[in-house]
Each structure stands twice: as structure tokens, then as C-alpha cells.
Amino acid sequence: MRHGDHTNPARVGRPHLARLRRLAVSAAALPPRVLAAELGWRTFRTGCRACARDRTVGARPPIPENWRPFVLGAVGVRPKVGPSPLELEECLREADAALEGRFTVLGYGTVTVDKKPHGWHQDPVHGFTWPDRHHRLLGPVPGRADIKVPWEVGRLQWLTALARAHAHTGDSRYRDGAVELLRSWAAANPVGSGPNWANAMEAGIRAANLVWAAEILGDPRFTSLAGGMLRDHGWFIVANLEYSPRLTSNHYLADLVGLVHAGGALRHSPAGLLWLRIGGWQLQQEIVKQFHEDGSNFEASTGYHRLSTELALVGLLALRRLRMPVRPEVRNRLLAAVEALSALTKPDGLLPALGDDDSGLVIGLQSGRDPRDASPIVAAAAAALEETEPSGETVGPELAQWCGAPTRRTGTRPHAASFASAGWYVLSAGPYWCLAECGGVGQLGNGGHGHNDTLSFVLCVDGHEIVTDPGTGVYTPDPRLRNLLRATRSHSTVEVDGQEQNRFDSALLFTMRSDDRARVVDHHEDGSGRQVVEAIHEGYRRLDDPVVHRRRFTLDPQGLTISDHFGCRAPHTLAVSFPLSPGVRAEQRDGETLLMAAGTVVVLSQTVGPRLAFAVEEMPWSPAYGRVVTAPVLRATLRAEGPVSWELRFRAADGART
């Protein structure tokens, strides 16, 4: 119901009754313990919201409030940060653009925002502006615009870039511009009103950037305004925590990081101290909960593994600077997550794109960062984890220097690794590097950021990505594209009878059934350097004639072999897909397929089974959220009359660079 609508009261009551019925049905299906936890949580949240309303009403603009610094270490001390010439150039480019109202937004590139009040509510990419209304009345508008555009601008990472630019150059334009832009944003976004308050995650990341920007800038005008905003942010986050006893995700992690930063800055007040204690305790609980013991994240996504690791790192770094205790178990879990980032990194220095990746970053301490480059996070981890730096180091990325880790380890050669909890297996030998995906949909079966990529893989040869993952594209602005890029047919696996491995409703963009029940049945390495992973998924067991897909990955210094077997009794249509990186050219020759990329030639041949006639088609490929290009895909369709097996091999051509 919109404000000002004159609607029949009887009609108004019907949706509420329907909602109550749905809640009653949902509650009846919950186990008693979960139901009790849900009721307790809802009661706590109602009290927090009532308390927050009493303290934020009329706070327009925010009432100035001082704070106590902490993220840069000792009061009055500035870390010695020496960005490389390229990092400095990127910083000044971002800062100069911000002064002109231009901001880098995910893969969309640079967008121009009108500095008038409603400009901060715009999605200029799609030409849409959200109204200035209560945040619970606002949200995504599928097919029309992308709410992540104003969200990304509203995280204020560019504000931290302005503060860094001033610190590096002493140019007052950056200091004064930061103050004026923050005033403009605060005036246009009173607490709880407009799209930038649509969820607590945005407020949490914004709070962290406010703290870092204010401490780096050291300007009393900025610090006073930011302090008032942090007070409002703290109350808002507490009242709108994205928590449920049934499922929490990276959103809740961001909420807690925001509480730690707002509470740390205002810890001289009872409210700030409360936020700090709640945020610090819950953050440690969530790190253990959301990261498996082997370091992999529970979201079934390499992109969200990186984002969640960055959130955990920023939060624990703040706790360390506040001299708050961090449990050894929590520290070890984050250390394992950082090590997983290193192991999952391809030879080209970027993470493969398994599952969703919205290209989101947390703190604007380094400009021009590629979201799939985890090296700044890995380098910064030494500060939060109190790691002793080894010898043979080079100057660290700017982000790591601001965090107190001025050096970084020199690069290491990609190596084999396994993360059984997530179903991720890294195979590496000679010029070959492969990541096999053998896990489920993630999020405890909710599948919010998982794709239908079970038994798929990413293959690099001589440092070039040959077989790829298509990425994410976008979320709500194009539901058709969203569903296409998370579909089975878009990944390097096999589709059966045109069905999905895991069913999903095309209208529900952040959920997926857990049908596949994937499991690894063999994983070993022999003395010759041959590495083997064999896995099964049962996503097609639900068909009238059940089908079980078994795939065996065998990698050795001579190449990668993919062995597929389909157990069934009746005829089925099998569609095999191998999406290729945009720079790869495919050519059929003498019954084989040559895959060529920058001087490297890979031969795809079939050694066993009925012939698969591969044809080259085109499909969307997304290197970053909001950016989509066209890439080739090898696809073959086979009509199987019963059980069938085949074997395919990828090897570097004789005489090719290896």
C-alpha cells in the first residue's frame, strides 16, 4: 500500500490475513527449537526497532558527534604507506572522478551521478530513480533497473579514495571535496529513507568506509559529520540485522562488520559499546559458521568466498586494533580461508568464477582493484592474523599497507589442493591447472549464489584460461540473463533431456533446489604425479527413468582427461558443453578440435565412446558483474539409448609453448 492511497479497509486487511496464514503454515513446519529461536529473534528485533526509532527520528542532517579513532593504530600515528606509481595513478583517477560526480560501479564502468538529492538514488545505467520513501517500501525492480548501482555508489568507497588522495598529495581539493560530497550524500539519504537503506549490508559496508575515510583524512569537519552518521548507522543496523536462525550469509557478516566499526568509533557511549560487543561476538561466531574447517566458504561461490573473506578480515582487523580478544579457532578459520584464496587463484592471478560474483568490494583502500584478484586480501591478512612475514618479500599492495602489512610474500607456483567441504579440487601439473567443481548448491541447500555447475571445471594451459565458467552477468535488471548464466547448459558439464541439475523457479532469482546430492567417491595422487578426482551427482535421478552422472578428472603432466558415465535404462538426450574464454579460437581438424590462445594450442580429442560431434556456438560471458560479452562454446548433443560412457582428453599440441 503506497502512502496517500485511499483503499477500501477490507481490501487492506486481506493481504495481511494471507501473510499471517503463510507465516502460520511456515511456523508449523519448523522444528520446535528453530521455531523458538525464530520467535525469540523476532521479539528481539521488534525491541531494537522501537529503540532505534526513538533515536533516529528527525536526524536530518545527522547530529554531529565525535569519536575515538582506532583503525590506523595508535592515536595520531599514520602508517607509512607508499603506493606504487600505478596505484597512486589509480587513486588520483578515482578521486578526481568523484569530485566530478563520476563513480566506478562494478563491471558497469564509470557512471555519472547527479549531485542533486535524487541523484544519489539513481541507476543512470538503466535510467531509473528510486523514490525517497521508507526503506521497507523499496527494493529491486526486476527487468527495469539495477538497485546495486546506487548501492555501490552508496557504499562510499570513493570517499576513502578521496581521503587517500589527500594523504598522498596534500591537495586540499580532495579534503574539501570529501567533506562536501559527504554532506550532499547525508542530506539526500536520511537514515532509513531511500534505496541506500534497503538492507543493513549496505549500511554496514558504508560504516566501515566512513571510519577509514575519517581517520585517514583527519579533518574535524568530516569526522564530526561522520560520527553523527555512524550513530545513525549503528542503530539502523541493530534494528535491521539480516539474521535468521535458519540461514545467515555474507549479508549478516557485513552487518556485523558495520556494527564493529560504528561501535568502535563511538565506544565512549553506552550504545557504541553495546554495538561493539554484539558485533564482535557475533562476527566471530559467523566466521566459524560460514567457513568450513578447510577454509572454503559455504556459499558455493568463489566470488562470495573472496567477499566474505574480505569482510572477516576487515572485521577482525578492527577487533585487533581495539584490543578485543579473538578466539584461536576464529583466527585459524580465517587463516584457512586466506590460504584457500591463494590455492584457488589461477596461474593468471585471478580467481575462477564458480557460482555468483557480484564484484563487490568492502573497503576503498586501493583503487582499480580487480574483484577477482585476491592478492591484496592475502597480503593484508598478515596484519589481522598477526602473522610473521617471511624473508624474500616485496612491497605489498596499498590495501595491505593501510592495514599494517607493508610487505607481501613473493608469488608462489600454483599447486594441487582440495576443499572437500565445498567440493572444490585444484589439480596442477606441468603447464596444466584445473579446478573441478564437485559440490552442492551452497547456503545449506538454499542455493542463493550457487549455479548448476556440478561436475564442471575450469582449465588453464600455459597460464591461459581455455575452458571457463561464464560468470554471473547481472541479477535483477535482466532475469532472463540471470537464469541463463546459472543454468546447466552454460557450464562445462552435461545437461540431460533439457532439464536442470538442480531445479529453480525462474522468478526466484536467489534460490535453487538441492537435487544433485553430489559426492566425491575417489580422490588420490599416485607417485607419477597423476591426480584423480571422481564424483557422482544424482540431479537427474528424479526423471521417469533415473540417470546418474559419474565424472572422473585425471590430470598429469601430459594433459587432462575427462571420463563420463551415465547410468540409465531408457533413451536420453545428453548435451555436453565446454564454454571457452573469449580469447580462445576453436578449429576442427582431422577429427580433433584445436583450441588456440595467444600462442598456446590445446588439442581436444576423444579416445573412448560414441563420437561427440562438437560445434562452435556463441554464448554470453561475464568477466565482472554488469559487463557481458560474447564467447565461444563447444557443444555436442548425443542421443543415448541406454548406459553410455566416453572419454575426452585436453593436451598441449606438440611444438606448442608449454
Side-chain angles (χ1 to χ4, degrees), residues 518-553:
R519 63 187 185 277
V520 172
V521 295
D522 184 26
H523 174 224
H524 70 270
E525 179 176 354
D526 61 26
S528 66
R530 188 179 66 156
Q531 300 151 49
V532 175
V533 175
E534 186 170 353
I536 292 174
H537 89 76
E538 301 181 358
Y540 297 118
R541 191 180 281 278
R542 68 180 189 272
L543 302 180
D544 290 340
D545 175 59
V547 179
V548 175
H549 181 192
R550 177 186 293 259
R551 172 168 279 186
R552 183 180 179 91
F553 301 88

Side-chain angles (χ1 to χ4, degrees), residues 33 185 208 342 582:
R33 265 188 206 176
W185 192 94
S342 295

Side-chain angles (χ1 to χ4, degrees), residues 155 157 200-209 254 258 311 361-363:
R155 289 181 174 184
Q157 289 150 343
M201 178 180 194
E202 304 310 311
I205 293 178
R206 187 161 54 243
N209 278 287
L311 285 166
L361 303 173
V362 181
I363 302 294

